[in-house]
Amino acid sequence: MEQNETESVPLRAHPLALPTPTPVRWNRSTRARRVSLRIDPRAGEVVVTLPPRSSRRAGMALLNTHATWVKERLSSLAPAVPLLEGESVPLGGVPHVIRHDPTARGPAILWNGEIVVAGDKAFLTRRVGDFLRAEGKRRIGVLAAGHAAALGVRIRRITLKDTRSRWGSCAPDGTLAFSWRLVMAPDWVLDYVVAHEVAHLRELNHSDRFWAHVSRLTPHREAAQDWLRRHGPTLLRVG
């Protein structure tokens, strides 16, 4: 099992001129072979990963070398969107305003372009999150069933996760996993990701045969891949 040592340090403690005080997350990983640097768009953090024998000084050297890149990436992040009343959250690519109505039925429902949340306002954030996950699983389930029937394959089960780097995955046992955040993407983007993972039930690789199956299931491959590259990080800023 990989062992990680994680520590958050205010970036203002280091000689880097960034737009705002931003935390650096230091990870020490037994699997790392070199010092690496990335931006975590969900947390809005700079993440430095160190191999077991590398010093913090090596990480600082990498940060200083790529200070301009760090500043550009952080400044390009979309604003964080909390799941609060009055905020707008996309659903199927269409913005929906969160509205609290203590008299409404059910924990949360869709109504006239809004996500209407019932009950105590103290539970609004959790209920919106639960609603988005449930809606994501419903929509993914419908698409996956259709694509599986078209390919003549069987899905063992579908799970939803809150991943940071992969929108979907297919396990050898036939389990499909998806990021719940895909429910916020346009329907045709969601369709592509589901088709991609269902196609892995026939070909657990990225061979020409695999891509032929994907093309049979959906016409949106290139456009959806481009959309996820451009707009996927924005989905990670919600919630």
Side-chain angles (χ1 to χ4, degrees), residues 211-227:
W211 289 115
H213 291 314
V214 174
S215 297
R216 175 183 170 189
L217 296 176
T218 177
H220 306 302
R221 173 186 168 186
E222 292 185 2
Q225 289 176 338
D226 182 65
W227 191 96

Side-chain angles (χ1 to χ4, degrees), residues 91-166:
L91 190 61
V94 179
H96 286 68
V97 174
I98 299 172
R99 180 167 64 85
H100 177 238
D101 181 354
T103 66
R105 282 186 167 186
I109 60 171
L110 288 178
W111 183 258
N112 290 337
E114 296 179 322
I115 301 174
V116 182
V117 185
D120 191 329
K121 194 172 185 177
F123 303 112
L124 184 144
T125 294
R126 178 176 60 80
R127 286 177 174 169
V128 174
D130 290 346
F131 169 79
L132 292 174
R133 287 168 173 79
E135 184 65 11
K137 191 164 189 176
R138 184 189 69 80
R139 295 187 184 197
I140 288 170
V142 171
L143 291 171
H147 291 320
L151 285 187
V153 294
R154 178 178 175 274
I155 301 169
R156 182 183 179 189
R157 66 190 179 103
I158 295 174
T159 64
L160 264 63
K161 301 180 178 181
D162 193 6
T163 54
R164 300 186 184 216
S165 61
R166 301 181 68 180

Side-chain angles (χ1 to χ4, degrees), residues 182-204:
L182 284 167
V183 73
M184 296 184 284
D187 292 340
W188 51 273
V189 174
L190 177 62
D191 179 66
Y192 161 71
V193 177
V194 175
H196 183 117
E197 300 310 330
V198 170
H200 276 311
L201 295 173
R202 287 288 297 272
E203 297 286 339
L204 200 56

Side-chain angles (χ1 to χ4, degrees), residues 48-68:
V48 181
T49 299
L50 302 174
R53 296 186 179 181
S54 293
S55 67
R56 183 72 64 86
R57 182 179 300 176
M60 281 305 308
L62 188 65
L63 278 169
N64 278 304
T65 299
H66 297 284
T68 299

Side-chain angles (χ1 to χ4, degrees), residues 200 203-213:
H200 276 311
E203 297 286 339
L204 200 56
N205 52 53
H206 288 99
S207 63
D208 290 342
R209 291 191 302 273
F210 166 78
W211 289 115
H213 291 314

